[in-house]
């Protein structure tokens, strides 16, 4: 018999990987001078923010799909505005990197996301410096350096833009934990867009006015409504897929899906954009960095599980285990008395993964870290 919830989970993961990869490749195609030739990353990001903010407004205020959180002016000024500033910066720098370096190399640089988050958390005092985590960060850094050394078309400007965007996204994640969670506010992808997208649009207006508006006045820029509409729609759909994935999976699954997505994206980018050449040294360095990323993810999930267990009292845990045992005994009904009926409960699909926190962001509208998918 087909396990429908499991099929739906894998379907949502497939949609997330497809949309996340598609948005990144679509952005590269739109911005690259060799293809659609719209070299205005701030303008493209503002289109995304304006479209996402408008749709989120209708979903929250008109159709009431989700309820808005209780947001005071103090919370908005001290939490939403700084988070929006770094969110806008991460998108701006990340999209600008597409003009200078390949998608494959960008994905390899994004392996630095745990390092950036670790450093920002240490600076802000939200995480303790641990030897095991530090060794992982060192391994990731060495891998990225090797991968960068093997990059044929290495570009300093593009690399600086991408790394700066990664650190801006890491600081946004840390600020989300420090500012919002301490005030007891939890934002899902829809309410996040509702509050953050308009504010990010305003922040982006300043660099757009200074950097890209003069260029648009002297250079003939082609504008295709359907190209930009479909591009913004894909970016919005990605946020909704994140909402679905978070609701059906745990931290381990979502992190493994992110790693799988990066490998798929690197392979696809070399096919779609032939100028994206990958060397053996690229792959070797990225593989080394990936080992550090996987170990970092394992340690973080292990810490979450340990904190969840420590928060439960012993009687609560006994009751919880008893309920699970009772549930498994009710579901499994042996057909014969062969003495092996007790082993039948192993077929149950019990999700033991720690729930993914809203602040973990596959990012990365930007990365989101998701990661940051660089809208």
């Amino acid at each position: 018999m087909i396990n429908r919830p499991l099929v739906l989970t894998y379907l949502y993961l497939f949609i997330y990987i497809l949309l996340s990869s598609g948005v990144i490749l679509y952005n590269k195609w739109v911005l690259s001078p060799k293809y659609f030739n719209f070299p205005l990353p701030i303008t493209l990001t503002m289109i995304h923010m304006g479209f996402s903010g408008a749709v989120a407004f209708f979903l929250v205020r008109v159709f009431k799909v989700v309820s808005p959180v209780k947001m005071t002016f103090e919370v908005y000024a001290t939490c939403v505005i700084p988070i929006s500033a770094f969110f806008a910066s991460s998108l701006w720098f990340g999209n600008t990197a597409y003009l200078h370096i390949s998608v494959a190399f960008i994905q390899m640089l994004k392996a630095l996301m745990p390092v950036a988050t670790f450093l920002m958390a240490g600076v802000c005092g939200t995480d303790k410096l641990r030897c095991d985590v530090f060794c992982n960060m060192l391994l990731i850094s060495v891998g990225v350096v090797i991968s960068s050394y093997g990059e044929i078309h290495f570009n300093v400007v593009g690399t600086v833009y991408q790394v700066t965007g990664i650190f801006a996204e890491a600081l946004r994640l840390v600020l989300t934990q420090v500012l919002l969670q301490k005030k007891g506010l939890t934002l899902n992808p829809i309410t996040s867009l509702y509050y953050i997208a308009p504010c990010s649009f305003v922040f982006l207006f300043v660099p757009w006015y200074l950097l890209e508006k003069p260029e648009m006045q002297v250079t003939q820029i082609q504008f295709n409504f359907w190209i930009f509409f479909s591009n913004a729609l894909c970016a919005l759909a990605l946020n909704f897929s994140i909402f679905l994935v978070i609701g059906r999976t745990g931290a381990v699954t979502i992190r493994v899906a992110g790693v799988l997505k990066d490998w798929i994206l690197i392979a696809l980018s070399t096919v779609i954009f032939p100028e994206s050449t990958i060397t053996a040294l690229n792959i070797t360095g990225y593989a080394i960095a990936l080992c550090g990323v996987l170990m970092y993810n394992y340690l973080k999930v292990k810490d979450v599980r340990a904190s969840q267990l420590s928060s439960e009292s012993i009687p609560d845990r006994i009751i919880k285990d008893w309920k699970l045992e009772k549930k498994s005994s009710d579901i499994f009904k042996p057909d014969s008395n062969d003495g092996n009926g007790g082993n039948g409960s192993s077929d149950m699909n019990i999700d033991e993964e720690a729930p993914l926190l809203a602040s973990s962001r596959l990012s990365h509208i930007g990365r989101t870290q998701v990661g940051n998918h660089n809208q």
Side-chain angles (χ1 to χ4, degrees), residues 23-270:
V23 167
I24 291 173
L25 294 173
Y26 204 169
N27 285 350
K28 172 66 175 179
W29 182 82
V30 169
L31 293 168
S32 177
K34 294 182 179 181
Y35 298 96
F36 186 71
N37 191 21
F38 186 80
L40 302 172
I42 304 176
T43 305
L44 183 65
T45 308
M46 290 179 69
I47 292 173
H48 288 179
M49 291 296 97
F51 182 78
S52 298
V55 173
F57 175 83
F58 279 100
L59 291 177
V60 174
R61 290 297 181 183
V62 179
F63 299 106
K64 301 188 184 300
V65 175
V66 294
S67 300
V69 300
K70 294 181 179 179
M71 184 75 65
T72 63
F73 177 78
E74 179 190 357
V75 173
Y76 192 86
T78 58
C79 299
V80 174
I81 289 179
I83 290 172
S84 299
F86 286 105
F87 180 54
S89 300
S90 68
L91 296 179
W92 169 20
F93 295 135
N95 281 335
T96 305
Y98 289 127
L99 298 175
H100 306 280
I101 54 180
S102 67
V103 172
F105 187 48
I106 285 174
Q107 294 307 118
M108 294 176 189
L109 288 176
K110 284 180 180 178
L112 285 173
M113 190 64 192
V115 179
T117 306
F118 174 72
L119 293 176
M120 292 298 101
V123 171
C124 295
T126 60
D127 202 356
K128 295 180 180 179
L129 299 179
R130 293 162 42 185
C131 182
D132 53 353
V133 177
F134 178 78
C135 291
N136 286 329
M137 300 303 103
L138 192 61
L139 183 63
I140 294 171
S141 302
V142 169
V144 171
V145 169
I146 294 174
S147 181
S148 301
Y149 184 78
E151 177 65 16
I152 295 177
H153 306 292
F154 183 80
N155 184 285
V156 176
V157 175
T159 303
V160 170
Y161 268 118
Q162 183 58 45
V163 173
T164 305
I166 289 171
F167 274 88
E169 173 65 9
L171 190 53
R172 183 197 72 84
L173 291 174
V174 174
L175 286 178
T176 300
Q177 180 182 359
V178 172
L179 300 178
L180 288 183
Q181 291 185 4
K182 281 190 175 181
K183 294 183 180 296
L185 293 177
T186 302
L187 301 178
N188 60 47
I190 298 177
T191 51
S192 294
L193 289 176
Y194 175 74
Y195 291 107
I196 293 176
C199 192
S200 298
F201 183 92
V202 174
F203 272 106
L204 289 168
F205 180 81
V206 177
W208 173 83
Y209 186 83
L210 296 175
L211 300 175
E212 293 189 358
K213 184 176 179 292
E215 184 179 351
M216 295 176 71
Q217 291 174 338
V218 298
T219 308
Q220 178 137 15
I221 302 295
Q222 59 173 331
F223 188 90
N224 187 309
F225 171 80
W226 295 109
I227 292 291
F228 291 103
F229 175 75
S230 59
N231 183 259
L233 191 63
C234 288
L236 182 66
L238 175 59
N239 281 281
F240 292 158
S241 71
I242 294 172
F243 184 76
L244 293 174
V245 168
I246 289 175
R248 298 193 68 91
T249 63
V252 175
T253 302
I254 203 70
R255 291 175 188 271
V256 171
V259 171
L260 178 62
K261 183 261 300 180
D262 289 340
W263 279 108
I264 293 174
L265 195 53
I266 289 172
L268 279 178
S269 66
T270 59

